Amino acid sequence: MQKYLHLIVEEIQSAAEHAVRDMLKTIHTTTHGAPLHATDYMDDGTRIQLKVTIDPSTGGAIFDFTGTGPEAFGNWNAPIAITNSAIIFSLRCLVNTDIPLNQGAIRPITTIIPPNSLLHPSPEAAVCAGNVLTSQRIVDVVFRAFGACAASQGCMNNLTLARTTRRTGGGTTRRYAGVVGRAVVAGHRGRAYQYDEYADYGSGDPGAA
């Protein structure tokens, strides 16, 4: 049973890989082989820069983020896994077929990300908002490079909620109700992709920090 399950998963990933390779070959033809470029900036001015070079013989591509700004003092740094996830999301929107979410979509992609940058931060860098904020700006940059949409606002518009309650016997507990955000992006066929995020961070004693 496990053997057949692995075969099915491999077929799903292979189908996604071929769909992305076919799409990239088509893009290479329509752009006459010219590299694709895009740049966008975080609210603090940190640059996210991308150059996409497509190999027409294989349908593979290099996503080169050289030129992206240094890691931030804030918590909107994004580990490499976040960049890869943003690339997968973007490619699924760009392909001309429906494919399930899986890593086969990124098999044709080689990523180059400079170390100690916003998208490849050091182990000491804070990364919380990189998941919900910077990830969308990466998606914007990819879409802009492919000329897929206007990429006007790559932001989750985060709102953090909290409530303080009295505990029996004295003291208080602060419950962080969550981070709420919504984003809508458009695929190249005009379909709207909307996704929401909610995270409950639990409770803690503000006096114990």
Side-chain angles (χ1 to χ4, degrees):
M1 180 64 180
Q2 187 176 16
K3 175 183 177 181
Y4 291 112
L5 179 59
H6 288 170
L7 289 174
I8 292 171
V9 171
E10 175 57 33
E11 285 297 319
I12 292 173
Q13 293 183 356
S14 179
E17 176 184 355
H18 288 302
V20 170
R21 290 188 186 277
D22 289 343
M23 180 271 294
L24 291 172
K25 289 178 181 179
T26 300
I27 294 293
H28 183 273
T29 299
T30 58
T31 59
H32 306 289
L36 311 178
H37 298 270
T39 302
D40 201 354
Y41 299 87
M42 302 296 290
D43 290 346
D44 70 341
T46 302
R47 177 200 305 262
I48 298 179
Q49 184 167 308
L50 173 63
K51 175 183 178 182
V52 179
T53 305
I54 300 172
D55 182 346
S57 62
T58 65
I62 298 174
F63 280 52
D64 187 354
F65 289 92
T66 299
T68 294
E71 65 182 47
F73 287 110
N75 65 356
W76 50 90
N77 299 289
I80 292 177
I82 299 300
T83 300
N84 287 337
S85 296
I87 292 173
I88 290 176
F89 174 84
S90 303
L91 294 173
R92 288 184 70 211
C93 293
L94 292 169
V95 295
N96 195 28
T97 185
D98 292 324
I99 57 175
L101 175 62
N102 67 84
Q103 69 180 26
I106 204 172
R107 283 180 179 175
I109 308 303
T110 299
T111 56
I112 299 175
I113 307 175
N116 299 316
S117 68
L118 183 72
L119 307 184
H120 188 177
S122 64
E124 295 79 17
V127 297
C128 176
N131 182 37
V132 294
L133 178 64
T134 310
S135 61
Q136 290 198 34
R137 200 61 59 90
I138 298 169
V139 169
D140 269 3
V141 172
V142 175
F143 282 161
R144 181 172 294 173
F146 282 87
C149 68
S152 62
Q153 188 193 33
C155 182
M156 280 294 289
N157 301 310
N158 285 352
L159 175 63
T160 302
L161 308 174
R163 182 180 64 185
T164 301
T165 57
R166 299 282 181 184
R167 289 202 305 252
T168 302
T172 60
T173 297
R174 178 167 294 167
R175 184 164 191 85
Y176 296 91
V179 176
V180 183
R182 167 168 292 183
V184 179
V185 296
H188 80 295
R189 287 178 288 171
R191 294 185 301 179
Y193 294 82
Q194 176 176 298
Y195 48 100
D196 303 322
E197 179 146 336
Y198 177 87
D200 190 339
Y201 292 124
S203 59
D205 185 346

